């Protein structure tokens, strides 16, 4: 085991207190599951995860308190200790993207697990690339002996199994994970066991995701052709919608089955089984920015040429507390894609809910507002 771990992590790790720990000592401690926690001190979500992960880590390892360095290194006589209780075979290593050593030190100081040394920048980059980490925080679990990825979305593990009762969170058979009732959009229900002998596609999608909505239209046609050909084939929709109303609206467009929206545990287990990570804010926001930016620049330049202040400020709403508060305050629907112009001084809003946002639709919406052709709704 130590050979793989040393190749992956190098020879030394550090505790929150700055003490060095030999990587090969993890073998003597009987570590069987390795968690790689990718994050950064400047990220508020990472700070929130660190707090919940510390409590989770302490419960699993049976530590009296998950304080700095707790359980981070082998204690006296660890090599001769009895076989550790299964859940104590977990260790976590923090893999940072910090560019400032002092900020990194302040962040890892409160971590009860281990960290790659700050100077190991090249090794950190290799790990980020190896496991295709695209958003933070991310937590993946590896088999410490083989290096095989056991669970790609450890954040769901913390949420769904806070006591570690399902340790070591390895993949379960699809038949077991999907077991239970499935729905059609007409309200009909049938058991998953009825799909025995069929080819099954699992469709992870959401109403708020423009590329998903485009794909759904294409998928509906393909699905109908396959069914008309008499093939034993079914699709199961696993929703990542923000509300049950959005789920129902989106599911009404689909001729296949779905996991009930209220069955959050089963939806989460399917996400874990296939390594689905909800990166809605990253993908959706970036695409929206690229779409809106040229239009915003055009409008701003037009008014700047007249030495006038632009009448609009442009922004893309993400998944954060400020956006949630603004959505609640203005009573905006959960649906997306959604174009909105807010006139806070007049306590008015202008809303356009469309199947797909295109540059032409955005430009027409903005121009109609500037020409006072849009009908306001009260906030």
């Amino acid at each position: 085991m130590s050979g793989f771990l040393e190749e992956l992590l190098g020879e030394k790790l550090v505790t929150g207190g700055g003490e060095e720990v030999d990587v090969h000592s993890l073998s003597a401690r009987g570590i069987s599951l390795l968690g790689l926690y990718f994050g950064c001190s400047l990220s508020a979500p990472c700070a929130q995860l660190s707090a919940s992960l510390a409590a989770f880590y302490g419960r699993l390892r049976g530590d009296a308190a998950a304080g700095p360095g707790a359980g981070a290194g082998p204690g006296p006589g660890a090599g001769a200790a009895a076989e550790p209780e299964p859940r104590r075979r977990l260790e976590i290593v923090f893999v940072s993207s910090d560019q400032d050593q002092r900020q990194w030190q302040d962040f890892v100081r409160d971590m009860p697990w281990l960290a790659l040394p700050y100077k190991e920048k090249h090794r950190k980059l290799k790990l980020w690339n190896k496991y295709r980490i695209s958003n933070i925080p991310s937590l993946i679990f590896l088999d410490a002996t083989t290096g095989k990825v056991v669970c790609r979305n450890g954040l769901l593990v913390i949420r769904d199994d806070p006591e570690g009762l399902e340790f070591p969170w390895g993949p379960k058979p699809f038949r077991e994970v999907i077991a239970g009732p499935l729905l059609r959009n007409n309200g009909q229900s049938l058991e998953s066991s009825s799909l025995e002998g069929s080819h099954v596609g699992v469709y992870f999608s959401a109403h708020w995701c423009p590329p998903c909505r485009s794909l759904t239209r294409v998928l509906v046609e393909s699905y109908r052709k396959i069914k008309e050909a008499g093939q034993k084939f079914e699709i199961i929709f696993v929703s990542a919608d923000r509300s049950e109303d959005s789920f129902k609206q989106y599911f009404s467009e689909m001729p296949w089955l779905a996991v009930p929206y209220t069955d959050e545990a089963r939806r989460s287990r399917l996400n874990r089984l296939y390594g689905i990570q909800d990166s809605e804010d990253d993908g959706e926001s970036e695409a929206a920015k690229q779409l809106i930016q040229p239009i915003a620049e055009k409008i701003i330049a037009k008014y700047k040429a007249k030495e006038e202040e632009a009448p609009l400020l442009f922004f893309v709403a993400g998944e954060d507390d400020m956006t949630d508060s603004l959505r609640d305050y203005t009573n905006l629907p959960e649906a997306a894609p959604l174009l909105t112009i807010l006139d806070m001084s007049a306590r008015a809003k202008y809303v356009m809910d469309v199947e797909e946002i295109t540059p032409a639709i955005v430009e027409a919406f903005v121009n109609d507002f500037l020409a006072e052709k849009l009908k306001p709704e009260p906030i």
Side-chain angles (χ1 to χ4, degrees):
M1 176 179 79
S2 60
F4 157 70
L5 289 179
E6 288 181 349
E7 180 180 348
L8 187 74
L9 303 173
E11 296 183 355
K12 301 285 186 182
L13 297 170
V14 294
T15 68
E19 299 175 1
E20 288 191 343
V21 173
D22 291 331
V23 170
H24 68 75
S25 68
L26 300 182
S27 179
R29 291 169 51 199
I31 298 301
S32 61
L33 193 71
L34 177 70
L36 294 181
Y37 167 21
F38 295 87
C40 175
S41 66
L42 300 179
S43 165
C46 288
Q48 294 171 0
L49 173 62
S50 291
S52 58
L53 185 57
F56 176 82
Y57 180 87
R59 284 194 299 271
L60 258 68
R61 294 179 51 80
D63 298 331
E83 185 74 6
E85 193 272 332
R87 292 189 299 173
R88 289 187 64 87
R89 297 176 188 164
L90 168 71
E91 188 53 88
I92 294 174
V93 175
F94 178 56
V95 185
S96 166
S97 62
D98 280 289
Q99 300 301 310
D100 183 280
Q101 186 168 6
R102 183 175 295 278
Q103 290 173 337
W104 174 83
Q105 287 175 331
D106 290 342
F107 196 49
V108 302
R109 184 176 293 122
D110 295 326
M111 293 181 177
W113 45 80
L114 300 169
L116 276 178
Y118 178 79
K119 64 182 179 181
E120 290 273 21
K121 293 186 177 181
H122 181 65
R123 188 175 298 278
K124 292 175 187 177
L125 182 60
K126 284 181 63 177
L127 287 171
W128 282 71
N129 291 334
K130 177 181 177 68
Y131 295 108
R132 298 183 177 91
I133 304 301
S134 58
N135 57 290
I136 57 172
S138 285
L139 176 64
I140 65 174
F141 291 114
L142 312 175
D143 184 304
T145 302
T146 66
K148 182 179 179 180
V149 175
V150 173
C151 177
R152 200 158 245 294
N153 196 337
L155 304 185
L156 291 181
V157 167
I158 297 172
R159 188 190 72 184
D160 297 343
D161 186 25
E163 302 301 323
L165 301 179
E166 298 179 28
F167 180 93
W169 309 296
K172 295 180 179 179
F174 173 73
R175 182 188 304 174
E176 180 180 337
V177 176
I178 197 62
L182 299 169
L183 300 177
R184 292 203 183 277
N185 60 19
N186 62 3
Q188 178 188 358
S189 176
L190 69 159
E191 284 298 316
S192 59
S193 57
S194 65
L195 299 179
E196 289 289 341
S198 297
H199 295 283
V200 177
V202 184
Y203 184 32
F204 298 89
S205 187
H207 187 258
W208 51 257
C209 171
C212 295
R213 290 163 67 130
S214 298
L215 174 60
T216 297
R217 292 193 289 272
V218 176
L219 192 57
V220 166
E221 293 304 313
S222 298
Y223 175 84
R224 286 177 174 156
K225 289 177 182 178
I226 294 172
K227 298 293 279 188
E228 288 169 2
Q231 300 296 323
K232 297 190 71 176
F233 174 70
E234 194 52 81
I235 292 176
I236 300 173
F237 170 42
V238 181
S239 172
D241 285 294
R242 297 163 176 155
S243 71
E244 189 168 10
D245 286 342
S246 291
F247 161 76
K248 290 178 179 177
Q249 180 181 345
Y250 193 29
F251 186 39
S252 69
E253 306 168 12
M254 303 177 183
W256 45 73
L257 300 168
V259 175
Y261 186 81
T262 54
D263 195 344
E264 187 175 350
R266 189 158 38 137
R267 290 193 289 122
S268 184
R269 287 195 296 269
L270 284 162
N271 277 290
R272 283 167 50 192
L273 179 64
Y274 293 108
I276 304 300
Q277 302 196 55
D278 185 6
S279 57
E280 65 188 74
D281 189 38
D282 292 341
E284 186 185 3
S285 294
E286 187 56 38
K289 286 174 186 175
Q290 292 178 10
L291 185 151
I292 288 176
Q293 186 169 344
I295 298 166
E297 290 175 348
K298 182 178 177 180
I299 298 244
I300 292 169
K302 175 182 175 181
Y303 280 86
K304 187 176 181 180
K306 298 189 295 184
E307 297 185 347
E308 296 179 9
E309 187 175 340
L312 287 172
L313 296 175
F314 294 82
F315 74 96
V316 175
E319 287 297 298
D320 52 56
D321 292 341
M322 184 182 76
T323 300
D324 289 343
S325 297
L326 185 60
R327 189 186 296 273
D328 291 341
Y329 176 72
T330 56
N331 195 29
L332 287 172
E334 292 276 352
L338 190 73
L339 288 172
T340 307
I341 294 175
L342 299 176
D343 185 344
M344 303 305 283
S345 62
R347 296 185 61 81
K349 63 184 177 184
Y350 305 81
V351 180
M352 175 181 283
D353 186 9
V354 294
E355 282 295 314
E356 184 176 358
I357 294 178
T358 65
I361 287 175
V362 174
E363 192 158 12
F365 181 60
V366 170
N367 287 337
D368 284 349
F369 169 76
L370 295 175
E372 299 183 353
K373 294 180 180 179
L374 298 181
K375 181 179 180 180
E377 300 176 32
I379 292 178

